[in-house]
């Protein structure tokens, strides 16, 4: 199995499990490497209720150490963060990048302005929204994140479909500009299997997006976005099939923010 680089810890307040349990699950799943990428702190604090605080970064480093001890020579443990792309966040991301010898940083769009649109708390707001307009803003924001060049991996590309809100017609009109921005920015994207377990009932991104990404030469990783040990490496065989069908023959491994291809 490829590496699983998108996993969480209880420090984000909505994940469960010990480092030992997560590592045991990674071994059972047969992962090539295990990566930890919890929700990074955001300023000003308290920013929201689903991430660690800046003051908890030392606890996060301890958690990574405990995972490394639990894996001791049997599974490589990599360290990262899932960073939120927010207006004007660039200098904060650079500061976070310098705080630890990360193996990779993941960039995510969970916020459109002050709205964390993937939070089930705000489903009522979706009901009042123009889906086409939200999609247009989402992909514009995602393309800006891609152009920043601050991240090794861009998370769950079409997270905006999480609650099954999709515009009608050919969605290439949204995909084409962002694919160009990602290819130019140089980050990899992830095939995130968590979407299969959300109302959209589809991995992120849609197979068509994945096909366009493969054609554009955008590198890929496969991720579970596990928030509990039993989600580590979830649906990876299915994801590998999907990646191959889209034209991918390799994924990436990361070490101190350098990337290495790994054949699928
Ligand atoms: Zn989360
Ligand atoms: Fe996320
Ligand atoms: Fe995540
Ligand atoms: Zn995520």
């Amino acid at each position: 199995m490829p590496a699983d680089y998108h996993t969480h810890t209880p420090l984000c307040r909505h994940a469960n499990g010990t480092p030992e349990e997560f590592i045991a699950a990674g071994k059972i799943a047969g992962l090539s490497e295990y990566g930890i990428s919890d929700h990074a702190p955001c300023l000003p604090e308290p920013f929201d209720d689903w991430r660690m605080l800046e003051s908890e970064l030392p606890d996060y480093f301890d958690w990574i150490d405990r995972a490394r001890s639990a894996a001791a020579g049997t599974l490589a443990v990599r360290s990262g963060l899932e960073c939120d792309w927010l207006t004007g966040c660039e200098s904060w991301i650079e500061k976070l990048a310098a705080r630890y010898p990360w193996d990779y940083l993941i960039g995510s769009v969970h916020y459109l302005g002050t709205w964390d649109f993937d939070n089930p708390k705000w489903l009522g707001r979706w009901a009042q929204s123009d889906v086409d307009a939200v999609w247009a803003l989402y992909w514009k924001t995602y393309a800006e994140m891609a152009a920043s060049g601050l991240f090794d991996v861009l998370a769950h590309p079409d997270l905006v479909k999480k609650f099954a809100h999709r515009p009608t017609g050919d969605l290439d009109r949204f995909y084409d500009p962002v694919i160009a921005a990602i290819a130019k920015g140089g980050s990899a994207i992830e095939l995130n299997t968590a979407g299969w377990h959300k109302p959209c009932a589809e991995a992120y991104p849609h197979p068509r997006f994945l096909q366009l990404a493969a054609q554009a030469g955008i590198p890929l990783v496969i991720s579970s976005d596990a928030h509990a040990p039993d989600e580590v490496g979830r649906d990876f065989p299915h994801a590998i099939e999907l990646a191959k069908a889209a034209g991918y023959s390799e994924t990436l491994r990361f070490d101190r923010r350098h990337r290495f291809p790994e054949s699928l």
Side-chain angles (χ1 to χ4, degrees), residues 188-202:
I189 58 165
E190 65 173 17
L191 172 50
N192 183 313
T193 62
W196 272 314
H197 305 274
K198 305 294 188 220
C200 60
E202 214 175 72

Side-chain angles (χ1 to χ4, degrees), residues 6-8 14 37 39 82 108 110 155-156 190 192 225-227:
H6 189 156
T7 71
H8 291 274
H14 63 279
S37 59
H39 296 287
E82 180 178 12
S108 291
H110 303 113
H156 35 58
E190 65 173 17
N192 183 313
D225 210 342
H227 285 71

